[in-house]
Amino acid sequence: MTLYSSLFEKNELPIRIAHDEQLAAFKIADSLSKHLPSVSVTRPIVFVCIGTDRSTGDSLGPLIGTLLSEKNISPFHVYGTLDEPIHALNLEDKLKEIHEKHLNPYIIGIDACLGRMKSVGVIQIGDGPVKPGSGVKKELPPVGNIHITGIVNISGFMEFLVLQNTRLSLVLNMAKIISKGIYHTSLRYMHSAKLEEYEIKEEPV
């Protein structure tokens, strides 16, 4: 058992973590690590970061994708960056491409969302797919076996305009915390893979 597993015993989804709370990135890693498939299952782990850089509030996903692309998070795969965003116009094609490229992928959908005022800045990890576009009344394919969402602003009135006028500072800080959490998840995942490989080698013939 790792240090953080002993500190954080939350096992059930959804989990809510304030982006500015102490050890937020490690809490994200702790939760993700518990809900990814076992290394022995050999399912490719794919993060699909949804959004566009044309809207400040909706840039959370591609910001995370860009930050992850600058790190070594092997064996995870990342789709959706500032240079190559995944958004309403290409989501279906990108999902098809992912399923053609990866056999039975385990997908984590990442997207921005709107919520109550007191929840702004909260990061949520939930079971099942994220439903992109629902905040602005768009019908798009659901994404993910599990999902990560960041509440970037308040909902309830002129959502499209609210997303356009969201503070970039908040979105960037949330993106940094989420990408750091995913990076630490990848380190744990690789460590588990090495341990499993070592145990197989040590098995008596």
Side-chain angles (χ1 to χ4, degrees):
M1 181 178 289
T2 67
L3 169 64
Y4 295 107
S5 291
S6 64
L7 285 175
F8 312 120
E9 291 301 331
K10 296 178 180 178
N11 289 300
E12 298 299 322
L13 297 179
I15 289 171
R16 293 166 58 88
I17 301 164
H19 80 284
D20 56 354
E21 71 179 77
Q22 190 176 22
L23 301 178
F26 296 103
K27 293 180 181 182
I28 292 170
D30 193 69
S31 178
L32 281 178
S33 296
K34 290 174 181 176
H35 292 93
L36 292 182
S38 169
V39 173
S40 61
V41 176
T42 66
R43 291 182 72 179
I45 309 298
V46 178
F47 289 86
V48 179
C49 305
I50 303 161
T52 172
D53 60 343
R54 295 179 181 272
S55 168
T56 308
D58 204 23
S59 66
L60 179 68
L63 275 171
I64 292 169
T66 298
L67 291 170
L68 290 175
S69 69
E70 296 171 353
K71 303 176 185 290
N72 178 15
I73 62 165
S74 175
F76 296 165
H77 308 274
V78 178
Y79 292 85
T81 64
L82 292 173
D83 288 334
E84 298 183 31
I86 296 177
H87 44 66
L89 299 179
N90 66 1
L91 178 60
E92 289 191 45
D93 290 338
K94 287 293 184 181
L95 289 176
K96 182 179 179 182
E97 176 186 328
I98 289 167
H99 282 279
E100 288 175 349
K101 189 172 182 179
H102 304 285
L103 179 63
N104 191 27
Y106 187 88
I107 295 177
I108 299 92
I110 301 178
D111 199 6
C113 69
L114 302 173
R116 293 179 294 178
M117 183 176 292
K118 67 179 182 179
S119 297
V120 173
V122 169
I123 296 160
Q124 303 176 125
I125 302 173
D127 196 18
V130 67
K131 297 176 181 177
S134 58
V136 288
K137 310 299 187 291
K138 289 184 180 179
E139 291 290 333
L140 296 172
V143 180
N145 299 88
I146 61 174
H147 65 268
I148 302 172
T149 54
I151 302 175
V152 297
N153 214 326
I154 56 174
S155 63
F157 180 71
M158 297 182 70
E159 279 86 355
F160 183 78
L161 189 60
V162 168
L163 283 171
Q164 292 280 13
N165 288 278
T166 297
R167 290 196 64 206
L168 180 59
S169 173
L170 172 65
V171 177
L172 181 58
N173 286 334
M174 293 180 73
K176 288 178 178 178
I177 291 298
I178 294 170
S179 61
K180 184 178 179 182
I182 294 170
Y183 172 68
H184 283 283
T185 304
S186 73
L187 295 180
R188 297 185 190 191
Y189 200 80
M190 286 188 286
H191 181 65
S192 297
K194 289 177 181 177
L195 281 178
E196 188 164 302
E197 182 181 354
Y198 176 78
E199 289 171 358
I200 291 172
K201 289 180 180 178
E202 291 297 306
E203 286 182 0
V205 179

